[in-house]
């Protein structure tokens, strides 16, 4: 009996302590403190075992032991219920499943011995235990499914071209690009992936077009259908990361950067477009291990271990990976460990990025088998952790760059 109560005390302390000291939401802190308090009660109940099966100097020692067994049954049932939703292996299962079985035996034994006998005002004690158990169960059940969505993630992104400058000595156009992001909401957020790109667009022009061109192709690619030109072809001029994975913005914070790209005046572009894309994760949903996430792992270095991917299997890329902890530690102890992997790479003609949130710590973008298996899991986890994508675009006619005075 005493061993089970001490085991339950250690489990409750392990589950509640991270949220009690580090949860980012009020509900998370309350849940953490509640688990810690229940752990303290389990410790007191373990000491009461010595009196109840000893000299019984305290008339209420049996009732305290009974309360400890009820707490163990309630909390272990909650953890087991949460585990059954996904049925993923976690080492904590080796603790709360045996303790759940133990709590059934403990209650059977205590009820058979009528451990509450001798307790002053037993009816009031029973009513107090029932009310406390009900309130604790409601709070724990609520916190287990609670997702802080009352305030949305609000970010303002800007991508705009500056004034182009013609090189006085060479036939080159220097084109500035101004990129900016600002957290305009009330929720802090991690940047788990970001990328900017500048592309030149060319399209075949026909003055005598009688009908809209390439209609099917435009609808399939979600592009604009045009009368005088077909679907433009894209040519990547410049691309790269912006703020970088592992960065984060508190409410009111902003980050800006200015880049300058060089273009030949003789280029045959019709339009120059810029795009900025950022993938964000709410900080009130989870915590990223930033010390691990900011380390970059080139895919072409053989000493990178699991991050190495032969060139014939993967396109060259940089990977960032870290453990992801949910803001509710009940989720962490009833699920397999989850990792966030952010990949940015450059193919011969364009750049590309992939973000996966999965229980597998290894991810290679060239592995189609893995990607197919992890894609559905990643979409579910992204929704759970509040991952959103925001972007901004800008465009300018190339003719306005060649002759800026006439624009």
């Amino acid at each position: 009996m005493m061993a089970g109560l001490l085991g339950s005390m250690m489990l409750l302390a392990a589950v509640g302590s991270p949220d009690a000291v580090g949860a980012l939401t009020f509900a998370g802190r309350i849940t953490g403190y509640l688990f810690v308090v229940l752990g303290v009660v389990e410790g007191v109940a373990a000491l009461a075992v010595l009196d109840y099966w000893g000299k019984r100097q305290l008339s209420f020692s049996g009732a305290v032991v009974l309360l400890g067994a009820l707490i163990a049954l309630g909390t272990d049932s909650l953890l087991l219920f949460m585990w059954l939703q996904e049925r993923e292996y976690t080492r904590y299962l080796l603790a709360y499943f045996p303790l759940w079985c133990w709590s059934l035996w403990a209650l059977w034994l205590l009820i058979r011995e009528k451990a509450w006998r001798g307790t002053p005002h037993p009816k009031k004690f029973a009513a107090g235990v029932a009310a406390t158990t009900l309130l604790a169960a409601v709070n724990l059940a609520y916190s287990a499914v609670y997702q802080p969505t009352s305030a949305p993630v609000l970010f303002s992104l800007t991508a705009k071209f500056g004034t182009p400058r013609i090189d006085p000595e060479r036939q080159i156009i220097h084109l500035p690009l101004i990129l900016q992001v600002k957290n305009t909401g009330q929720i802090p957020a991690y940047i788990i992936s970001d990328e900017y790109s500048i592309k030149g667009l060319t399209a075949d022009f026909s003055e005598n077009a009688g009908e809209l061109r390439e209609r099917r192709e435009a609808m399939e690619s979600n592009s604009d259908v045009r009368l005088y030109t077909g679907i433009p072809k894209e040519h990547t001029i410049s691309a790269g990361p912006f703020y970088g994975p592992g960065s984060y913005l508190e409410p009111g914070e902003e980050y800006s950067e200015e880049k300058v790209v060089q273009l030949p005046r003789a280029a045959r572009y019709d339009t120059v477009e810029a795009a900025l894309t950022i993938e964000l994760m709410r900080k009130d949903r989870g915590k990223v291990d930033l010390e691990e996430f900011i380390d970059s792992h080139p895919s072409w270095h053989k000493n990178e271990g699991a991050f190495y991917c032969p060139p014939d299997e993967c396109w060259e890329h940089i990977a960032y990976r870290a453990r992801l902890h949910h803001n509710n530690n009940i989720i962490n102890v009833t699920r397999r460990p989850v990792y966030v992997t952010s990949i940015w790479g450059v193919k011969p003609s364009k750049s590309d990025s992939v973000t996966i949130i999965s229980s597998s710590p290894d991810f290679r973008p060239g592995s189609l088998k893995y990607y197919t298996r992890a894609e559905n899991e990643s979409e579910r986890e992204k929704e759970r952790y509040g991952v959103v994508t925001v972007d901004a675009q800008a465009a300018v006619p190339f003719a306005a760059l060649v002759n800026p005075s006439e624009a």
Side-chain angles (χ1 to χ4, degrees):
M1 183 68 68
M2 189 173 185
L5 289 170
L6 290 175
S8 180
M9 177 191 70
M10 290 187 289
L11 176 63
L12 292 174
V15 174
S17 297
D19 284 345
V21 299
L24 296 176
T25 61
F26 179 74
R29 291 287 180 98
I30 293 298
T31 302
Y33 282 121
L34 180 57
F35 266 86
V36 171
V37 170
L38 293 178
V40 173
V41 175
E42 295 291 83
V44 174
L47 294 177
V49 169
L50 299 176
D51 181 75
Y52 182 70
W53 272 281
K55 296 181 180 180
R56 297 198 180 185
Q57 295 179 345
L58 300 175
S59 60
F60 54 85
S61 59
V64 174
V65 176
L66 177 60
L67 176 61
L70 288 171
I71 290 174
L73 178 62
T75 53
D76 293 332
S77 296
L78 171 65
L79 295 174
L80 198 58
F81 171 76
M82 294 295 297
W83 176 83
L84 287 172
Q85 291 183 352
E86 300 290 341
R87 294 186 295 277
E88 300 174 348
Y89 172 76
T90 169
R91 56 181 179 153
Y92 286 96
L93 179 64
L94 302 178
Y96 50 76
F97 180 70
L99 285 173
W100 180 79
C101 297
W102 167 87
S103 66
L104 294 176
W105 166 83
L107 279 176
W108 169 80
L109 178 62
L110 293 168
I111 292 174
R112 189 187 67 174
E113 294 194 4
K114 298 182 179 180
W116 60 87
R117 287 187 302 185
T119 303
H121 310 291
K123 292 184 178 180
K124 292 184 178 180
F125 174 80
V129 169
T132 303
T133 303
L134 179 61
L135 290 175
V138 170
N139 181 76
L140 292 176
Y142 173 75
S143 64
V145 299
Y146 171 77
Q147 298 291 359
T149 57
S150 57
V153 176
L154 298 177
F155 271 71
S156 173
L157 266 65
T158 301
K160 64 179 181 180
F161 291 109
T163 304
R165 302 296 181 186
I166 305 298
D167 194 295
E169 298 181 358
R170 299 174 295 175
Q171 294 296 309
I172 294 177
I173 304 170
H174 300 277
L175 178 61
L177 174 64
I178 302 170
L179 304 171
Q180 184 182 44
V181 58
K182 182 176 182 180
N183 187 344
T184 58
Q186 302 175 357
I187 304 299
Y190 293 106
I191 295 177
I192 59 176
S193 175
D194 63 7
E195 177 188 21
Y196 88 92
S197 63
I198 302 176
K199 298 179 180 180
L201 277 64
T202 60
D204 297 330
F205 180 80
S206 175
E207 296 183 355
N208 301 317
E211 56 184 23
L212 295 174
R213 303 175 58 181
E214 301 180 10
R215 298 183 297 275
R216 293 179 179 177
E217 293 82 354
M219 289 186 287
E220 289 178 352
S221 61
N222 197 28
S223 302
D224 297 333
V225 60
R226 310 175 185 219
L227 179 62
Y228 296 104
T229 60
I231 299 176
K233 297 180 180 179
E234 298 180 347
H235 308 271
T236 299
I237 300 171
S238 178
F242 174 51
Y243 203 0
S247 306
Y248 60 90
L249 290 172
E250 298 290 338
E253 283 190 326
E254 62 180 276
Y255 176 79
S256 62
E257 191 173 328
E258 184 171 348
K259 300 180 181 293
V260 179
V261 63
Q262 287 72 39
L263 301 169
R265 295 189 67 180
R268 309 287 294 179
Y269 301 130
D270 299 317
T271 307
V272 176
E273 292 186 352
L276 173 62
T277 303
I278 300 179
E279 202 162 12
L280 304 161
M281 191 192 86
R282 301 173 64 112
K283 287 187 70 176
D284 60 354
R285 290 282 186 91
K287 181 180 180 181
V288 180
D289 189 342
L290 295 181
E291 292 185 2
E292 184 182 6
F293 198 44
I294 61 177
D295 290 339
S296 60
H297 304 276
S299 65
W300 55 90
H301 288 174
K302 293 184 178 181
N303 60 355
E304 288 293 344
F307 295 98
Y308 170 71
C309 193
D312 58 342
E313 295 183 18
C314 301
W315 41 282
E316 295 180 339
H317 61 269
I318 299 290
Y320 305 84
R321 189 209 69 173
R323 175 72 190 277
L324 186 57
H325 301 270
H326 200 275
N327 73 309
N328 187 340
N329 202 40
I330 296 177
I331 302 295
N332 296 324
V333 301
T334 56
R335 301 286 188 273
R336 288 181 294 184
V338 175
Y339 299 84
V340 54
T341 304
S342 176
I343 290 177
W344 181 83
V346 179
K347 299 178 181 179
S349 60
K350 65 176 183 178
S351 63
D352 201 356
S353 62
V354 178
T355 303
I356 290 290
I357 299 179
S358 168
S359 56
S360 173
D362 182 25
F363 170 67
R364 296 178 180 179
S367 175
L368 180 61
K369 181 179 179 181
Y370 173 86
Y371 184 77
T372 302
R373 184 178 72 251
E375 189 177 26
N376 292 335
E377 180 187 4
S378 182
E379 291 300 317
R380 183 180 71 249
E381 295 295 338
K382 285 183 178 182
E383 182 178 357
R384 174 179 292 168
Y385 286 94
V387 175
V388 296
T389 301
V390 291
D391 53 25
Q393 294 85 27
V396 61
F398 186 73
L401 306 180
V402 177
N403 301 299
S405 60
E406 299 179 5

